[in-house]
Amino acid sequence: MPQSTDRQSDPAAATATLAAEAALLEGRLSLLREAIETVDARIHAVSETLRRLQLSAAGSPDHEAPAGREGGARLDHSTPGRA
């Protein structure tokens, strides 16, 4: 059964279409890489800020553990009814 002319594609047209799609995908890839770099830089900045806060809090003479967690103690989940 012969293919209809609608289904037949011109190789040059197909090549042009694929090249255009490839260029579009490369552009999107570039945008995604830039976004990843931005997120990576933000993660690094936040991590550094947290590290500095931890160091300054640990070096503070009046540093105390948060209420209910003195000395790094964990909550007791063995007693029924306790959270």
Side-chain angles (χ1 to χ4, degrees):
M1 191 183 277
Q3 292 181 346
S4 70
T5 55
D6 291 342
R7 293 208 175 254
Q8 292 178 355
S9 61
D10 177 21
T15 301
T17 300
L18 290 173
E21 288 181 19
L24 179 65
L25 290 173
E26 286 177 354
R28 289 182 180 169
L29 180 60
S30 177
L31 289 173
L32 288 172
R33 284 183 175 152
E34 289 175 16
I36 289 170
E37 288 175 11
T38 300
V39 169
D40 188 44
R42 184 68 181 138
I43 288 171
H44 178 73
V46 169
S47 295
E48 186 64 22
T49 300
L50 289 172
R51 186 187 66 79
R52 288 181 182 166
L53 287 172
Q54 288 173 337
L55 288 175
S56 67
S60 175
D62 55 23
H63 173 69
E64 295 179 17
R69 304 279 315 254
E70 289 86 22
R74 296 181 180 260
L75 295 175
D76 182 6
H77 294 288
S78 62
T79 306
R82 289 190 69 183

